[in-house]
Each structure stands twice: as structure tokens, then as C-alpha cells.
Amino acid sequence: MKRIFQSMTLGSCLSLTLGCSALGKSDSFTFVPDFPPDFKYELKAIYLPAKGQTCTLAGGRNAQLGFNKIDMKYETTSDIELYRTVEDCLVALNRVEIRITGIFGPELSDRSSDYAVIAVRSELLDRNKGTLNAAGIGEFSGECQWFFRTVGPKRYLIKILYCKKTDAQGNVAKSRPFTAYTLDQLPGKIVKLKITLAHEEEPYMGDTWVKVPDGWKRCMGKGFEDQHAFCYGNHKDFSTFRMVDERICTIYPGCTENKEENP
């Protein structure tokens, strides 16, 4: 009953301040991820005073909603409210920050993240608006790529994730995945983020690995204590490195070894 009363109050407020067209079928939209295996997401919805409101917000965090944070049950989709009342102030959704996380091992540290954004405004030029199909589904896309490096005196291999926007033809841009909608486009609709994974991984830093037929070999540098270990033209002296499962390897990603000792 309390939830019904809150919904009625919010609906009345919005109809007075923004007009019935802002409400549509619902006061929320649904975010749907289309991600590769071993990828997850976290959301942060950020709100600002709605158009026509003269109120201000004392606390910025009060105007944010978190989804799939580490202490929350993981949800495969998220319903995001377009309007809320915060500190007696009617607020409207301004943007949604999507943290895209790829997982490459069993520990919490064996993961890396990048971001995508959905901007939401009361008005946008037509050329800047995301589109929705006849079923009420909008989609934007990106490509994520793993970059690998070694860390620590045992040279553990870790991976860093970078995600870039892609267009309808699959061309990769320099910016992160992004789209924008108006508030009156989104009620009751679905916005999908489709992420693909680049076919090949690359070294995180140049001149630290050498390409070989089965993958990459790690340059030794001055020794295992040399954390950067640039090749500097030495393509003969290579080091081993450790995978997250403790295998000791000489080639990535084509490792089939399990060496017991460093050379």
C-alpha cells in the first residue's frame, strides 16, 4: 500500500510539473547487458533537480542509486527510475554510469573494469538522440580488449580492460561506449548495451614483449626485480611469468608449460 501511495504521489507531482507526456507507461526503463562470458556490470544512476524545480540538493550521494554493488545480490537486468523525490526535491535521471568488469581469475583482484555511459536529458537535438525500435528497445555497443602485463618479483600476469564505442558497422571509436536519450523516450522501454571482445590481446606497454608464433614472450630486462623490463632490442633473453593458477609459463597466451623453476 505504501508503494502504491508513493507511486500515486509521484505521478501527480510529475503531471503537474512536467505534463502527462513525461510519464508514458512507466516511470522507469530497463537496462539489459549483452556481455561476453565472465563479464559483469555495476550501475550508478545519477539524478539532478527536474526541469522547472528551484530546489537544490545538499548531499550529492543522496541523488544517486547504486545497482549490483559488491554487497548487493547480482541482478542480470536493472530497472532504473526516471524520477525520484530526494530531500523534498523532485529529481530527474541525468546519466547512468555502467561499470563493465571482465574477470580473468578466481580472486577479487583478478578482474579489471572500464565504463560506458547513458546520458538522459529533458531535450536533445535529433542527431544526438538514441533510437528505439518498434518493440521499444534501444541498443548501443562497444568492443572491449584485454591488455596484459606482469607485476611483482614473480612476474604474475594480470590483464587490464579497455572498452571503446562501436558504430552500427562495427567500427571502433576512440571514446567509451555512449548513448543519450530524452526523458520522454524512456518510460517503459529497454536499453541494451552489447559488448563484444576483441579477438586478440595485446601487451599493456610497448617494447616489453616479443611476438612469436604461439603468442608473446616476456623480455627479461635487468632481471626479475626490473618491473618494467623493456626489451631495448634484446630479443634473445626472455623470462618466465606466472598465471593466476600459478602455472609458470614462457609464452602467452599459448602456454602449455608448467615449469618448476625460473631459468
Side-chain angles (χ1 to χ4, degrees):
M1 182 63 71
K2 181 178 179 182
R3 186 175 183 84
I4 295 173
F5 177 76
Q6 288 175 335
S7 298
M8 292 174 62
T9 302
L10 178 60
S12 300
C13 181
L14 288 171
S15 62
L16 289 172
T17 58
L18 299 172
C20 293
S21 62
L23 293 176
K25 298 179 181 178
S26 168
D27 63 353
S28 67
F29 76 96
T30 301
F31 172 76
V32 176
D34 183 356
F35 287 1
D38 296 324
F39 272 61
K40 293 186 176 182
Y41 76 95
E42 180 182 320
L43 289 184
K44 182 166 63 176
I46 300 169
Y47 297 80
L48 293 177
K51 185 177 181 180
Q53 298 294 300
T54 58
C55 49
T56 58
L57 299 174
R61 288 192 175 183
N62 291 338
Q64 300 178 5
L65 285 178
F67 300 78
N68 281 345
K69 290 185 176 296
I70 196 167
D71 57 344
M72 296 179 176
K73 178 184 176 183
Y74 187 82
E75 301 290 347
T76 56
T77 64
S78 296
D79 293 327
I80 304 169
E81 294 176 280
L82 295 169
Y83 301 97
R84 301 169 56 223
T85 300
V86 178
E87 299 171 9
D88 296 323
C89 181
L90 179 65
V91 296
L93 184 64
N94 179 259
R95 70 182 185 276
V96 178
E97 296 178 357
I98 306 159
R99 183 177 183 179
I100 305 163
T101 299
I103 301 168
F104 58 89
E107 305 297 332
L108 283 176
S109 58
D110 299 333
R111 57 192 63 199
S112 181
S113 302
D114 207 348
Y115 291 86
V117 172
I118 303 171
V120 183
R121 301 291 186 266
S122 57
E123 297 177 359
L124 285 170
L125 296 174
D126 286 344
R127 67 174 181 268
N128 296 330
K129 285 184 184 180
T131 58
L132 298 157
N133 64 22
I137 300 173
E139 182 176 300
F140 68 117
S141 59
E143 180 183 88
C144 294
Q145 184 174 14
W146 285 115
F147 292 81
F148 55 91
R149 64 167 298 177
T150 57
V151 296
K154 293 185 178 181
R155 294 196 176 179
Y156 277 96
L157 188 135
I158 65 167
K159 299 202 280 188
I160 299 97
L161 189 71
Y162 284 98
C163 300
K164 302 297 182 183
K165 181 178 180 179
T166 55
D167 62 18
Q169 289 72 45
N171 299 311
V172 181
K174 293 182 179 180
S175 58
R176 289 186 173 97
F178 174 86
T179 191
Y181 292 94
T182 57
L183 286 159
D184 60 4
Q185 282 183 283
L186 290 175
K189 302 301 192 298
I190 291 171
V191 177
K192 180 185 293 186
L193 172 57
K194 181 177 179 60
I195 293 293
T196 57
L197 193 59
H199 294 300
E200 292 188 6
E201 302 178 11
E202 294 184 7
Y204 177 70
M205 291 190 295
D207 196 35
T208 53
W209 298 73
V210 174
K211 191 80 169 77
V212 296
D214 292 330
W216 298 82
K217 285 191 172 185
R218 181 70 171 97
C219 290
M220 174 60 80
K222 297 176 183 178
F224 277 84
E225 70 284 354
D226 182 358
Q227 290 299 291
H228 294 301
F230 292 112
C231 302
Y232 292 131
N234 182 355
H235 295 172
K236 295 181 179 180
D237 296 321
F238 300 105
S239 80
T240 56
F241 54 88
R242 289 179 183 260
M243 302 292 287
V244 294
D245 60 4
E246 298 293 340
R247 282 184 301 144
I248 301 174
C249 299
T250 59
I251 297 177
Y252 182 80
C255 172
T256 59
E257 305 158 293
N258 187 13
K259 289 184 177 294
E260 296 298 331
E261 296 181 359
N262 297 329

